[in-house]
Amino acid sequence: MSFEIAQRFFFEAAHTLDRTVTEEAEGSRRIHGHTYQAEVAVVGEPDAVTGMVVDLAHLRAAIAVVRDALDHRLLDEVPGLGAATLENLCRFIARAMGSVSPPVCRVKVSREASGDSCTFHPPPPS
């Protein structure tokens, strides 16, 4: 029996996005910001001694590093992110959480105000 443990965090960030074929292209090209909600999940069996899949303090510490890289930043300038899409944010967060054990099985990034979200399931480590 496995358990999925998740931790949610928020960050505020600005970005631009070069969209060519859309009614929102002009506004997207200007610097604009969002409140993002992200959720990181791990899956596994509880440890026989601690009863935990992961110590949430360790998960929160790893998230704090990722959050610091994104919060109140111009996402266009975040090294390794690429275009500030929901997809790239999910992938960036998953890569940045690479030291967490058990490994991240799901990352979800949402913008509640606009109703947008993306869920990424990283491949298991080899």
Side-chain angles (χ1 to χ4, degrees):
M1 178 181 310
S2 65
F3 294 84
E4 182 176 292
I5 303 297
Q7 179 69 50
R8 199 172 332 151
F9 66 101
F10 297 85
F11 61 96
E12 309 281 340
H15 71 106
T16 62
L17 194 58
D18 188 15
R19 301 164 85 180
T20 55
V21 187
T22 179
E23 304 79 38
E24 300 173 5
E26 185 179 333
S28 294
R29 288 188 198 110
R30 291 191 301 264
I31 294 175
H32 62 283
H34 302 283
T35 298
Y36 293 91
Q37 174 179 303
E39 185 173 270
V40 176
V42 300
V43 67
E45 298 294 325
D47 180 82
V49 175
T50 66
M52 295 183 282
V53 171
V54 63
D55 186 324
L56 287 172
H58 294 146
L59 191 58
R60 282 192 283 272
I63 286 171
V65 173
V66 176
R67 185 178 181 279
D68 184 59
L70 299 172
D71 191 41
H72 287 84
R73 306 283 181 181
L74 178 59
L75 296 179
D76 301 23
E77 298 173 352
V78 173
L81 177 60
T85 62
L86 293 173
E87 295 88 344
N88 283 343
L89 283 165
C90 283
R91 192 179 355 243
F92 178 87
I93 292 167
R95 276 195 312 258
M97 299 290 297
S99 65
V100 171
S101 182
V104 170
C105 68
R106 179 177 55 81
V107 175
K108 181 176 182 178
V109 175
S110 306
R111 296 184 306 214
E112 292 297 317
S114 57
D116 305 325
S117 69
C118 177
T119 302
F120 176 56
H121 300 274
S126 40

